[in-house]
């Protein structure tokens, strides 16, 4: 048989080829269109973020870019704090009087207080002068691109939520539902003005009433009783304590932080316990959040409301907290007037005129209609004129004072916090902080994975060296310097020989550079509790810095001594463990009582005051401020009534000694009349209130934030009584009938310990809860844990977040 020849395949016809080709082309076209459509759809969303909430309402925000990260942060913040956010925006626009009336009080809970009209007048003038817009355009004083994107996204995220709830008409929080100022029209500029106002709270903002109310001397009000001018000493000087209080934020505004290094740590790695003392209501509440761009950015902690970045927190390598610094953010200049209260002398005998700022504020009248009120303010090139006789800086026929505000010259705060979130060690943290140049008014205490720790006051401080101050202080300026450490400079040479200096290593002119700011790196431990930089560790002294930053060789508060003592006592029995460090938060020891009880002195004082049953209760008191403690209320009422506090030299037999600041002063003088009188007054007050000698502290001190149930809380007065867990009634809104409703103090507390294999052991508590809405389940849940001395395990890894997840939401725009 012959071989079978395979049949040749039939050739496709031209028509079939064309058809196949067309089909392939169609498929390709459809695929291209589909891809193009998908890309187009993806591009349609400028912002895209996922918000996963874990137990207690903690938001974990994930995005692919910084704008979207800010968008998610803004949306999440609005969900739980829209009322305060809207209030911040209203304030930042200078519109409080329009919505709430001009005469209603404004109080930020920390330092700025006055009327709505006064606040609006200042903000309106800042906006008229386009201060923030100018800083945004400044390459050295303005923010960087990543933070700009976050702020723009943050505003968009807030608006996204407000539109969802019908411009606030369906917002679940009855505290502001339907308010005229709760609108989805927030701009990035509003957010920036809010940040700017926070920057100047301890400087220009602190003098709100004195700036808006500055009045030139007249025949009816010449200012002579408080004369403060060249060569003339006022008839009555305030005490150093009175002057310091008048020049800075309230005493309650503070914090503690302790960082433990490898030489003192049981793990050989760093640990941190941070406890900022902030308001429980209003714009300086914290919100917890976790911000992640996979592979690029990962940081968690707490942010002040209105801030898209984490202010206090941690990443995988570094944990940090902040305490309010003693440094001044401003310096006053005294100007000599010539012929007229508006004409002043400048260098080379040149006469200049004050700039008069006329501000018009829209106000809501009693009948609901709108009107306009005009306010006048005055400025020199250095800043606003203040009229403040209580600080020796009144406007008299011969002189006036204007303040130059170093924090008013920068908008780098968010950049500073943002970049700290990328730090890999404590040294890198401070380097990034210095590069940012915008740490506004706080110290930094930090620990890293390698076991190094740092204390630094590398905040924004006017470049007023001791040499410049000595050369330029006026007679009144020397008094304020001697009493409170604030140099008053000669305004005649404010533009020449007495202007703020320029440090070569500073980020911009007018502020001290890192080499002239205190820092201490250690491997054992550091701390701060709002005393000056001088003593970051009992074994180390930082000296030789400008007096405007703080004092050296000066007495420590009882709170500082308590925070130190916790570590010293622990190290006597062994190294500090993560459990022992966070445990000090809830020990509630009272250092002033421990010192005063030595030798039975405290009991002797009570007996001398004829305290009867109150003395019995005080003697039996356990020495703590726990909710179950009986007798602490007697001690706190007593110690807070001692004239001029515990700095009165006469109340101690052993005075302060700079060589032993941890243990001096001591030995209470049980015969001192002021001390005995303070005890008698305290007992009389408690009797008048009907409070029993053996009442438990938890029945007297309860939560006092908006709508809070009366949850018993431990802790108490900080600087005088010596509680590290400092709580205060300032700003309380609820349970006002109790002896101590809490409205201020311990807030976002974090205990961070770095573990093996990259682990982060994070325990936190947000004392007043994540939500400001009393009806929310996230309002008082953490308050109850705080009162019970418990912690929240903050989920950090993806696995931990999945385990605690309670909701997930993707937000896009």
């Amino acid at each position: 048989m012959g071989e079978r020849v395979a049949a040749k395949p039939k050739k496709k016809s031209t028509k079939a080829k064309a058809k196949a080709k067309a089909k392939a082309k169609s498929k390709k076209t459809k695929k291209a269109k589909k891809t193009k459509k998908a890309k187009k759809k993806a591009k349609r969303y400028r912002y895209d973020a996922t918000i996963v909430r874990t137990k207690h309402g903690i938001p974990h925000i994930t995005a692919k870019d910084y704008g979207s990260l800010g968008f998610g942060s803004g949306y999440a913040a609005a969900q739980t704090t829209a009322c305060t956010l809207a209030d911040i925006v209203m304030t930042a626009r200078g519109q409080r009087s329009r919505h709430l009336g001009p005469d209603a009080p404004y109080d930020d809970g920390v330092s700025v207080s006055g009327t709505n009209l006064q606040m609006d007048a200042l903000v309106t003038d800042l906006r008229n002068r386009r201060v923030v817009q100018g800083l945004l355009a400044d390459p050295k004083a303005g923010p960087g691109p990543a933070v700009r994107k976050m702020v723009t996204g943050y505003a968009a995220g807030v608006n996204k939520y407000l539109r969802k709830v019908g411009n606030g008409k369906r917002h679940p929080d009855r505290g502001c539902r339907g308010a005229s100022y709760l609108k989805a029209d927030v701009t990035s500029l509003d957010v920036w003005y809010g940040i700017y106002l926070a920057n100047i709270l301890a400087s220009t903002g602190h003098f709100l009433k004195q700036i808006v109310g500055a009045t030139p001397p007249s025949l009816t009000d010449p200012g002579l009783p408080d004369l403060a001018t060249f060569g003339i000493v006022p008839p009555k000087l305030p005490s150093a304590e009175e002057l310091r209080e008048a020049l800075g934020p309230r005493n309650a505004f503070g914090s503690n932080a302790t960082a433990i290094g490898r030489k003192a740590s049981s793990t050989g790695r760093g640990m941190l316990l941070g406890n900022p003392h902030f308001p429980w209501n209003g714009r300086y509440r914290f919100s917890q959040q976790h911000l992640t761009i996979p592979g690029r950015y990962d940081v968690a902690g707490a942010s002040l409301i209105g801030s898209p970045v984490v202010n206090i927190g941690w990443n995988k390598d570094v944990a940090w907290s902040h305490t309010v610094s003693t440094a001044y953010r401003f310096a006053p200049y005294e100007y000599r007037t010539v012929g007229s209260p508006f004409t002043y002398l400048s260098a080379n005998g040149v006469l200049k005129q004050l700039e008069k700022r006329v501000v018009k504020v829209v106000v809501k009248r009693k009948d609901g209609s709108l009107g306009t009120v005009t306010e006048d303010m005055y400025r020199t090139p250095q800043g606003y004129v203040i009229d403040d006789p209580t600080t020796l800086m009144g406007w008299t026929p011969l002189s006036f004072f204007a303040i130059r505000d170093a924090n008013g010259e920068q908008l780098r705060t968010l950049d500073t916090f943002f970049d700290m979130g990328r730090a890999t060690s404590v040294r890198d943290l401070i380097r990034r902080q210095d590069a940012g140049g915008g740490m506004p008014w706080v110290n930094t205490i930090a620990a890293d994975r390698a076991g190094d720790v740092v204390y630094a006051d590398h905040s924004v401080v006017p470049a007023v060296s001791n040499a410049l101050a000595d050369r330029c202080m006026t007679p009144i300026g020397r008094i304020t310097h001697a009493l409170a450490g604030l140099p008053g400079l000669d305004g005649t040479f404010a533009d020449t020989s007495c202007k703020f200096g320029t440090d070569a290593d500073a980020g911009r002119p007018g502020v001290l550079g890192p080499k002239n700011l205190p820092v201490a790196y250690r491997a054992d431990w550091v701390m701060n509790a709002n005393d000056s930089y001088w003593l970051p560790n009992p074994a180390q002294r930082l000296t030789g810095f400008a007096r405007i930053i703080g004092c050296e060789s000066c007495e420590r508060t009882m709170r500082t001594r308590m925070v130190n003592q916790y570590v010293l006592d622990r190290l006597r029995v062994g190294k500090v463990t993560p459990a022992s460090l966070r445990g000090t938060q809830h020990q509630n020891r009272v250092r002033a009582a421990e010192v005063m009880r030595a030798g039975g002195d405290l009991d002797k004082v009570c007996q001398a005051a004829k305290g009867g049953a109150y003395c019995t209760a005080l003697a039996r008191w356990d020495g703590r401020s726990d909710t179950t403690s009986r007798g602490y209320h007697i001690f706190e009422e007593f110690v807070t009534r001692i004239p001029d506090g515990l700095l009165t030299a006469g109340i101690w037999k052993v005075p302060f000694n700079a060589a032993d600041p941890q243990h001096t002063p001591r030995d209470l003088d049980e015969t001192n009349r002021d001390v005995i009188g303070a005890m008698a007054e305290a007992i009389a007050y408690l009797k008048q209130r009907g409070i029993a000698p053996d009442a438990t502290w938890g029945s007297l001190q309860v939560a006092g934030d908006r709508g809070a149930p009366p949850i018993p809380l431990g802790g108490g007065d900080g600087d005088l009584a010596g509680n590290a867990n400092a709580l205060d009634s300032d700003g309380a809104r609820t349970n006002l009938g109790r002896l101590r409703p809490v409205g201020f103090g311990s807030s976002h507390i974090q205990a961070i310990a770095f573990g093996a294999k990259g682990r982060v052991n994070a325990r936190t508590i947000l004392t007043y809860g994540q939500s400001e809405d009393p009806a929310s389940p996230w309002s008082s849940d953490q308050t109850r844990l705080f009162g019970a001395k418990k912690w929240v395990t903050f989920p950090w890894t993806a696995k931990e977040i999945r385990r605690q997840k309670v909701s997930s939401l993707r937000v896009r725009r």
Side-chain angles (χ1 to χ4, degrees):
M1 293 180 61
E3 292 184 1
R4 186 177 292 178
V5 179
K8 292 183 180 180
K10 292 182 179 179
K11 291 185 179 180
K12 288 185 179 179
S13 65
T14 305
K15 189 175 181 181
K17 285 182 179 180
K19 190 175 180 180
K21 190 174 181 181
K23 188 176 181 180
K25 186 176 181 182
S26 176
K27 283 184 179 180
K28 190 175 181 181
T29 303
K30 283 181 181 179
K31 187 177 180 181
K33 284 182 178 180
K34 191 175 181 180
T35 303
K36 189 175 181 181
K37 188 177 181 180
K39 286 182 178 180
K40 187 177 180 181
K41 187 176 181 180
K43 287 180 180 178
R44 190 170 61 194
Y45 297 104
R46 180 180 180 185
Y47 301 118
D48 190 343
T50 299
I51 304 169
V52 174
R53 287 198 185 265
T54 54
K55 293 178 181 178
H56 309 291
I58 299 171
H60 303 261
I61 300 149
T62 305
K64 292 183 179 180
D65 57 72
Y66 292 115
S68 295
L69 197 63
F71 181 73
S73 176
Y75 190 95
Q79 285 181 304
T80 52
T81 58
C83 291
T84 296
L85 276 167
D87 189 272
I88 292 171
V89 170
M90 174 173 55
T91 305
R93 290 174 172 174
Q95 294 181 351
R96 300 189 65 83
S97 300
R98 174 192 288 267
H99 295 284
L100 306 178
D103 300 324
Y106 173 77
D107 191 336
D108 72 355
V110 173
S111 185
V112 184
S113 65
T115 64
N116 283 338
L117 178 61
Q118 289 170 330
M119 190 65 193
D120 289 340
L122 176 62
V123 174
T124 300
D125 189 56
L126 293 173
R127 281 187 169 259
N128 289 347
R129 294 193 295 113
R130 298 178 62 82
V131 171
V132 168
Q133 292 92 323
L135 291 172
L136 286 169
D138 190 315
K140 287 189 176 181
V147 166
R148 290 175 190 263
K149 291 174 183 176
M150 288 190 74
V151 167
T152 302
Y154 188 85
V158 172
N159 289 334
K160 171 84 173 180
Y161 173 78
L162 292 179
R163 279 192 293 271
K164 180 183 177 182
V165 296
N167 272 329
K169 294 178 182 177
R170 298 190 304 275
H171 181 47
D173 191 342
R174 295 177 181 273
C176 64
R177 182 190 299 165
S180 58
Y181 55 87
L182 191 63
K183 301 291 184 184
D185 59 356
V186 180
T187 68
S188 60
L189 190 61
D190 293 331
V191 178
W192 282 119
Y193 266 101
I195 297 298
Y196 183 82
L197 292 177
N199 283 353
I200 63 172
L201 73 81
S203 40
T204 297
H206 180 71
F207 293 100
L208 172 65
K209 289 179 283 192
Q210 295 88 337
I211 289 170
V212 180
T215 305
S218 63
L219 292 176
T220 57
D221 182 18
L224 292 175
D226 297 294
L227 197 60
T229 187
F230 287 79
I232 300 177
V233 177
K236 182 180 181 300
L237 293 177
S239 69
E241 186 70 14
E242 289 171 336
L243 187 57
R244 282 194 294 268
E245 287 182 12
L247 288 170
R250 299 172 191 164
N251 285 340
F253 189 48
S255 307
N256 315 319
T258 304
I260 307 295
R262 60 183 175 275
K263 289 186 177 180
S265 164
S266 65
T267 66
R269 300 178 179 85
M271 298 186 290
L272 175 81
L273 175 63
N275 179 5
H277 304 151
F278 271 60
W280 282 30
N281 296 291
R283 69 157 305 166
Y284 292 110
R285 275 176 58 113
F286 283 105
S287 285
Q288 293 173 305
Q289 65 174 342
H290 183 183
L291 303 173
T292 303
I293 296 178
R296 293 171 61 191
Y297 196 69
D298 196 17
V299 62
S303 310
L304 293 175
I305 297 175
S307 170
V309 301
V310 169
N311 301 124
I312 290 176
W314 69 92
N315 61 25
K316 67 183 181 65
D317 294 314
V318 188
W320 70 92
S321 193
H322 298 294
T323 62
V324 176
S325 157
T326 58
Y328 289 104
R329 313 300 157 187
F330 66 95
Y333 282 94
E334 184 176 9
Y335 298 81
R336 187 183 306 183
T337 57
V338 180
S340 159
F342 306 106
T343 305
Y344 62 92
L345 184 67
S346 66
N348 301 317
V350 176
L351 298 182
K352 292 186 177 180
Q353 295 295 311
L354 272 176
E355 177 188 7
K356 183 177 181 180
R357 304 290 306 174
V358 179
V359 177
K360 294 183 178 180
V361 178
V362 176
V363 302
K364 183 179 182 180
R365 299 191 182 103
K366 291 182 179 180
D367 62 3
S369 63
L370 297 180
T372 302
V373 174
T374 301
E375 287 284 356
D376 298 336
M377 290 175 282
Y378 300 89
R379 286 183 56 83
T380 72
Q382 278 62 49
Y384 287 106
V385 172
I386 66 171
D387 188 4
D388 190 20
T390 61
T391 60
L392 309 181
M393 293 187 285
W395 193 345
T396 76
L398 299 179
S399 76
F400 64 83
F401 287 80
I403 60 170
R404 181 175 173 186
D405 186 345
N407 261 328
E409 299 173 4
Q410 63 96 8
L411 204 60
R412 295 281 299 166
T413 301
L414 292 190
D415 283 83
T416 302
F417 287 119
F418 166 78
D419 208 32
M420 286 169 62
R422 297 195 281 198
T424 58
S425 67
V426 294
R427 289 183 182 273
D428 187 41
L429 184 86
I430 300 303
R431 181 187 65 78
R432 290 175 182 273
Q433 188 177 112
D434 292 339
M439 187 55 66
W441 26 258
V442 291
N443 303 297
T444 299
I445 298 88
D448 64 25
R449 180 171 294 282
D452 290 314
V453 295
V454 66
Y455 159 81
D457 187 349
H458 279 209
S459 53
V460 174
V461 185
V464 180
S465 65
N466 290 340
L468 187 152
D470 190 59
R471 183 174 70 246
C472 291
M473 283 187 289
T474 65
I476 293 301
R478 292 189 182 278
I479 295 173
T480 59
H481 188 250
L483 291 176
L486 178 67
L489 309 177
D490 190 342
T492 307
F493 307 102
D495 294 317
T496 54
S497 58
C498 293
K499 69 179 180 181
F500 288 4
T502 300
D503 284 358
D505 60 338
R508 58 187 175 276
V511 294
L512 293 175
K515 290 181 181 178
N516 285 320
L517 292 168
V519 63
Y521 295 101
R522 298 181 67 88
D524 51 1
W525 61 284
V526 294
M527 61 74 63
N528 185 266
N530 305 123
D531 275 318
S532 68
Y533 58 86
W534 174 54
L535 206 68
N537 177 293
Q540 182 173 7
R541 273 62 168 163
L542 298 176
T543 60
F545 295 94
R547 181 66 179 89
I548 198 170
I549 308 174
C551 61
E552 298 175 2
S553 299
C554 48
E555 189 173 337
R556 308 285 92 176
T557 66
M558 284 293 180
R559 178 159 57 91
T560 290
R561 291 166 69 175
M562 187 72 264
V563 174
N564 276 329
Q565 200 64 46
Y566 277 135
V567 181
L568 293 170
D569 288 350
R570 173 63 197 183
L571 291 177
R572 289 191 183 98
V573 298
K575 290 190 174 182
V576 182
T577 67
S580 67
L581 179 62
R582 66 175 178 264
T584 62
Q585 171 60 41
H586 294 304
Q587 283 191 33
N588 291 329
R589 287 170 57 183
V590 183
R591 188 58 183 167
E594 294 175 355
V595 174
M596 291 180 173
R597 277 181 152 177
D601 290 341
L602 185 62
D603 292 335
K604 293 174 186 176
V605 169
C606 192
Q607 295 297 333
K610 297 180 169 54
Y614 288 87
C615 295
T616 302
L618 191 62
R620 293 175 177 172
W621 168 45
D622 63 10
R624 298 175 185 267
S625 56
D626 288 335
T627 57
T628 56
S629 296
R630 299 176 185 273
Y632 172 70
H633 61 299
I634 305 169
F635 181 76
E636 182 165 301
E637 292 297 330
F638 155 66
V639 77
T640 55
R641 281 175 166 76
I642 296 176
D644 292 327
L646 304 189
L647 300 179
T648 305
I651 75 169
W652 303 105
K653 293 178 181 176
V654 178
F656 170 71
N657 182 349
D660 188 14
Q662 180 62 18
H663 303 105
T664 59
R666 67 174 182 269
D667 195 355
L668 182 66
D669 183 355
E670 69 274 17
T671 66
N672 184 285
R673 290 183 180 180
D674 287 336
V675 173
I676 297 170
M679 181 67 78
E681 288 178 15
I683 293 171
Y685 172 72
L686 292 171
K687 286 181 177 178
Q688 182 266 325
R689 288 285 301 264
I691 298 174
D694 62 347
T696 61
W697 184 231
S699 69
L700 305 174
Q701 178 170 268
V702 298
D705 51 316
R706 180 168 69 94
I711 300 169
L713 301 175
D717 178 82
D719 289 354
L720 298 175
N723 282 280
N725 185 15
L727 297 175
D728 192 275
S729 292
D730 193 15
R733 299 185 185 179
T734 307
N735 303 315
L736 300 181
R738 301 296 181 107
L739 181 67
R740 289 286 185 275
V742 173
F744 204 115
S746 299
S747 54
H748 166 72
I749 308 168
Q750 62 179 38
I752 312 299
F754 294 104
K757 299 180 180 179
R759 288 195 295 269
V760 179
N761 183 343
R763 299 289 186 272
T764 69
I765 197 80
L766 188 62
T767 55
Y768 36 71
Q770 183 73 8
S771 175
E772 65 184 358
D773 180 3
S776 168
W778 300 330
S779 173
S780 58
D781 55 333
Q782 293 194 62
T783 312
R784 295 185 188 280
L785 292 175
F786 176 56
K789 300 187 174 183
K790 294 181 180 179
W791 293 89
V792 169
T793 300
F794 195 111
W796 169 249
T797 65
K799 185 177 181 180
E800 292 167 345
I801 293 168
R802 284 195 300 272
R803 284 176 178 171
Q804 284 200 34
K805 184 174 77 170
V806 296
S807 69
S808 181
L809 175 68
R810 188 175 183 181
V811 289
R812 300 184 290 187
R813 199 207 75 177

